[in-house]
Amino acid sequence: MVDSIKILLCEDDRVMANVVKKYLDVRGYEITWCDNGNAGLKAFSKYRFDLCIFDVNMPYKDGYTLAQEIRNRDKYIPILFMSSNTLPKDKIKAFRIGADDYVAKPIDVEELLLRIEVIMKRQNSQPKVAEDNESKKTKIQIGKYLLDFPYQKLTIGEEERKLTTREAELLRFLYIHRNDLIKREFILQEVWGDDDYYKGRSLDVFMSRLRKYLKDDPGIEIINVHGIGFKFLIADEVEQKEGEEEGKGNGE
């Protein structure tokens, strides 16, 4: 049984929607169904969801537009498209918007369930940090450095460095997920928008740049975990966390 995973299903075909909804209901998912894109956006604004499933061709607001508007509000919620549009260009458009998966109609509900399970497993494996508050900060203290995100400036003492947009986005992302193992695919998907081979090579270049930019604080370290991803470590916070855990252990 699935533990209270809430899904927003936007599908204008009532028969298809009923089949999918009943199948997922039986397996413990909580389904909110909308038959058009406008209703879907209103539901997303009102309730909390763990996953979105969108048809592409819907009245009032198509699935692509709906997904883009939701991505502007929430960068991380998984989105799965199901559509009779099966041309490569349709799938590419969906993935560029930020889709996690794309299923062709007619839908095999068993396959759909397995794809949902894979998406949620991947989602739950990502590091969870108090991101909501920290992602809204405009100035972030990173060890001895100060990142002024809107102006893309990194300062330490009297020294100031102008960052590119991508460098600033990557550094803030690493800080939000600091002291955790961050998978390469997760970084590429969230910062670059996809995880293809060439973007992966670009990521390595950017990591090397950030290491150079942060070299004046020996307490900051970017570790490459071969074949998996990276760890962005800030020594003071690691020591503080270990001290707190040791204190809890002594108190038991």
Side-chain angles (χ1 to χ4, degrees):
M1 220 41 189
V2 180
D3 184 19
S4 299
I5 292 178
K6 298 175 177 60
I7 296 178
L8 173 60
L9 172 64
C10 295
E11 167 63 69
D12 65 325
D13 184 329
R14 183 176 296 271
V15 175
M16 172 65 69
N18 282 334
V19 170
V20 172
K21 185 177 185 304
K22 288 179 180 178
Y23 191 83
L24 295 179
D25 277 340
V26 169
R27 283 151 180 80
Y29 291 93
E30 295 183 31
I31 310 299
T32 297
W33 171 55
C34 299
D35 63 0
N36 66 79
N38 283 346
L41 186 61
K42 289 179 181 178
F44 187 84
S45 302
K46 188 174 181 181
Y47 305 108
R48 181 190 69 80
F49 295 100
D50 301 296
L51 171 69
C52 296
I53 300 178
F54 297 155
D55 181 27
V56 170
N57 300 311
M58 294 188 292
Y60 305 119
K61 193 188 298 289
D62 64 60
Y64 293 136
T65 304
L66 176 60
Q68 185 63 69
E69 293 181 6
I70 283 178
R71 268 285 168 263
N72 292 338
R73 302 183 182 199
D74 188 332
K75 290 178 62 179
Y76 302 101
I77 187 166
I79 298 176
L80 182 153
F81 280 99
M82 53 183 193
S83 175
S84 55
N85 298 346
T86 57
L87 293 176
K89 66 176 184 178
D90 298 310
K91 296 180 180 180
I92 289 171
K93 183 175 182 178
F95 286 118
R96 281 180 173 166
I97 291 171
D100 293 81
D101 206 344
Y102 193 103
V103 182
K105 291 182 178 179
I107 299 295
D108 180 316
V109 287
E110 189 65 32
E111 178 188 353
L112 178 64
L113 176 64
L114 292 173
R115 288 176 180 267
I116 291 171
E117 289 175 351
V118 169
I119 290 173
M120 296 315 301
K121 183 178 180 180
R122 183 170 65 232
Q123 186 77 0
N124 292 333
S125 71
Q126 301 304 342
K128 298 294 190 295
V129 179
E131 184 177 339
D132 288 344
N133 291 330
E134 293 186 336
S135 63
K136 295 176 183 177
K137 291 181 179 178
T138 57
K139 294 186 178 181
I140 306 171
Q141 191 69 44
I142 306 176
K144 296 179 181 178
Y145 289 86
L146 179 66
L147 172 64
D148 188 332
F149 183 73
Y151 290 95
Q152 300 172 200
K153 293 188 300 184
L154 184 66
T155 59
I156 180 171
E158 299 298 318
E159 183 180 343
E160 178 181 296
R161 179 186 298 275
K162 179 69 173 176
L163 304 180
T164 66
T165 300
R166 186 75 74 196
E167 288 169 347
E169 289 174 345
L170 178 58
L171 181 55
R172 183 176 70 162
F173 183 84
L174 292 173
Y175 174 77
I176 288 172
H177 298 283
R178 63 196 179 278
N179 305 325
D180 283 310
L181 175 59
I182 319 171
K183 294 182 180 179
R184 292 179 65 91
E185 312 90 79
F186 186 47
I187 300 172
L188 290 168
Q189 189 64 51
E190 301 305 328
V191 180
W192 268 263
D194 61 60
D195 58 355
D196 69 18
Y197 173 79
Y198 295 103
K199 297 294 191 304
R201 296 292 295 272
S202 180
L203 171 60
D204 292 327
V205 172
F206 275 86
M207 287 295 189
S208 296
R209 288 184 195 169
L210 291 183
R211 286 190 182 99
K212 292 179 182 178
Y213 298 165
L214 301 168
K215 63 182 175 59
D216 290 330
D217 185 346
I220 298 176
E221 188 175 8
I222 301 176
I223 298 176
N224 182 11
V225 182
H226 183 69
I228 302 177
F230 297 89
K231 281 189 175 183
F232 184 74
L233 301 179
I234 302 178
D236 290 344
E237 295 191 14
V238 172
E239 292 172 2
Q240 180 181 354
K241 182 177 180 181
E242 290 176 348
E244 290 173 353
E245 291 176 351
E246 184 178 346
K248 291 178 181 178
N250 294 334
E252 291 178 349

